[in-house]
Amino acid sequence: MSISLDTPINSLLSNKRRVSALKSFGIVSVGDALTYYPFRVGDPVPPRAIREARPAEAMAFAAVVTQSRVIPMNARRGYRLEAVVEDSAFAATRRMPAGMARLVFFSNRRNYVDWMAMRLATGTQVIVSGMPSEYMGQLQFTHPDIVTVAPAEIQSVDVQPGAATQPQAHTKHYDVSSVKEGLDHVCRPRPVYHASARLSSDRIHETIVGILNMVGGREAADPSSVGTPLQGFETEDEQRFAAALAEAIPDILPETIRAERGLMHRAEAFRAIHDPISVEAFHKGISTLRYEEAFICQTALLQARNASGATPAHPCVSDEEQGEGLVSRFIASLPFQLTEGQRQVIDSIRGDMAKNHPMQRLLQGEVGSGKTVVALAAMLQAVEAGYQAVLVAPTLVLAEQHAETIRSMTQGLESPQIPVTLITGGMKLAARRKAHAMAASGEPGIIIATHAAFSSTFQASNLALVVIDEQHRFGVEQRESLQSKPVDGSTPHMLVMTATPIPRTAAMTWFGDLDISWLTELPGGRKPIRTFVINEDDGRTMASMFSHIRARIDAGERAYIVCVRIDDTSNDGKGGTTDDEATLDPYAVGDDEEQARPPLHTVAEIAERLQKLPQFQGIGFATLTGRDKDEVKTQVMADFAAGKTPVLVSTTVIEVGVDVKQASCIVIFDADRYGLSQLHQLRGRVGRGGTNSWAFLVSRAEAGSPAEARLQVIHDSLDGAQIAQADLEFRGAGDVLGDTQSGMRSSLKLLRVVQDADIIVDARSRAEQLLAADPQLEGDKQLAGAVLDFTRGNETFLTSN
């Protein structure tokens, strides 16, 4: 039978329970098994004679069973198996006197005890591996690993692990055919896998090694029922096996790159990971396949980027040489100076949009860094060229704010006024029809929309630019739907923006098919936000905080109070509803820890509680949640901005883009239950008018806990990139941006976007060189196939535009 990476494991393993347990880990094929990587490797176990035993130091030795008995444990129920072994032959090879030890096993299952007693029958040769201890003056090993040796003459010389031996035929009832082979089996470094009660790490290990042996054509029994032979590397049989394995598992990386990086062959790397002869070999195998993942990923991203450049787009050229273009007049009309970063990004976008293929750019900017001004400059460039531009915002509040801001900023730039059309799902029918008709007419202008832009009724026939604000709030399919709106077959230019901090190498992996720009400078006049972490049980500090907020309100400023939950109605099994379930404890504590933690505060509870405090007597309160109707949200924000209700108690609905310049204080309850990047986003809602500002992170986290350590990161830093890196390290890529953005859980198993920055950069550089010489990878068929497989498994990831 020819075995490939696509061969189902149920055709190789006769143990159906083992097959079912493996399926629960996502292992259904040979390829799945080989890429189910261990998360660490144990240290090698040294061979020692019994007389060389050292307390609490693992060891392995060969011995013969001299006694074995099963003893019922009447008081405790269950059984105890005791076996006595002696190692005279093995000890002689180490020039040590013979010794004796007791092996002890406990179990409530009689069938297990009987099976183990059969394996430890008197006269059986065994290899024992375990931790020695002393009990009643005797050397004892409790639940050691046992490998049974087929009856044969015990060799008295050179039985060190790794020595060359000719393989001998195994019998049905024994694990290995020689002492040397058995020591080789137990003394090697042992990979440790994520396991379950159904399947232990050792069973996973022996199964994968057995499958690896079968792939290489080595005769082996069903690896789910017996141990598998592990040989040295010097024999002729071993060389044949290695060659067969390399043929069955061809290399993916180009030979020149593998040689320059000093990497293993792919088959050799799999073997070094699952059947390592040393810890060093294990780590070299991991490094090889980690680089392979980076190279495949970056090659796929670059090919996707090159393919997108082949579609036509409307070139948007503006006359800016004399400073008379619409964009230049807009910049000159601003009441503040652009930062150098804003100017550079605007120039880059101007050049991209002047081309006849679509711009695809990601703009990542700190909270309050001025992304909206950059986006408006790009939209005005499209309008000046005679086209439409659409800006899509994730919430009604933000869409209305954008529409109001853009109308005021473009007033007087053109005569007549540049049309700014707002389209939301909550509009009255007549107003919505009028807005849709305006968009469908093709008249040059700016359209601001919520998710309504993705509906089939929205048509922008003259669309040249799409701007996505807070892109991680939208699915890939939604963004793709906008690119199909033009009826002339063109593809709009695309600008996606995010204030979620993303480390540069992470962005290179998540959004590698886009040009990436960063805005790191804050506009002039913004002052640093002072951040405090407050224990909720500290009544004096809490009272002082509320008094400070009252003083700021009396000075004409505003305050946000943020809670995770809306109210106490239970529709999620956790005691309340929330606008964004991802905000609830993104660090995934276990069930026991979750039950031990106090219930989360709600908007309804906190609003009622604060209004009763003496510090807030005579102050108007308002609440805002995602459950409120659109007209209610609009009125609440208007009253808050005007100072009619200067305290706004809300969920995280205010996280994105809300800009009330008088807001100077934000209090975040249950702050330890948010992601760091989200806390950074929420903190950015204050201080936007140039006033002093404060953020109070109220927590019930225990002193010295990981939750307290996370909050300390926010307390100590205003650097979004630093906070993003810490968030990734605490949580992981998929949890920070969601699976759609971080993606690749099925394909990238070893690559770490933060720690492996150098690998990603090197892989991208080499992939660019390779594709420049061979765009279709015609000279690297294995790599082309791997890239195709990666693309098919990660369509949503690759289409980040």
Side-chain angles (χ1 to χ4, degrees), residues 177-229:
S177 56
S178 71
V179 171
K180 293 179 182 180
E181 185 181 326
L183 284 170
D184 209 25
H185 180 84
V186 302
C187 291
R188 278 186 176 181
R190 183 65 62 94
V192 182
Y193 300 81
H194 289 291
S196 71
R198 295 179 64 191
L199 199 61
S200 68
S201 175
D202 284 344
R203 290 290 177 263
I204 294 172
H205 174 241
E206 75 176 25
T207 301
I208 294 177
V209 172
I211 291 172
L212 196 61
N213 285 338
M214 287 189 282
V215 171
R218 171 176 283 165
E219 292 294 330
D222 184 343
S224 67
S225 58
V226 299
T228 53

Side-chain angles (χ1 to χ4, degrees), residues 103 111 119 175 183 222 264 270 353 358 475 498 519 535:
L103 315 181
N111 59 346
R119 288 168 57 81
D175 297 329
L183 284 170
D222 184 343
M264 292 178 165
F270 278 132
M353 291 181 60
T498 181
L519 290 177
N535 188 317

Side-chain angles (χ1 to χ4, degrees), residues 393 395-407 422-424 427 448-450 630-635 637-638:
T395 67
L396 170 72
V397 171
L398 184 55
E400 290 180 336
Q401 181 176 290
H402 277 317
E404 181 180 348
T405 300
I406 289 173
R407 286 192 183 106
L422 176 66
I423 300 177
T424 70
M427 297 174 68
I448 314 296
T450 57
D630 289 348
E631 57 268 24
V632 173
K633 292 178 182 177
T634 301
Q635 188 60 51
M637 289 307 300

Side-chain angles (χ1 to χ4, degrees), residues 270-299:
F270 278 132
R271 192 173 182 196
I273 291 172
H274 296 297
D275 185 16
I277 60 173
S278 67
V279 173
E280 292 74 17
F282 173 86
H283 289 300
K284 187 172 182 180
I286 291 289
S287 296
T288 293
L289 295 183
R290 182 172 287 151
Y291 189 87
E292 177 188 281
E293 286 186 353
F295 195 84
I296 293 171
C297 166
Q298 293 303 317
T299 302

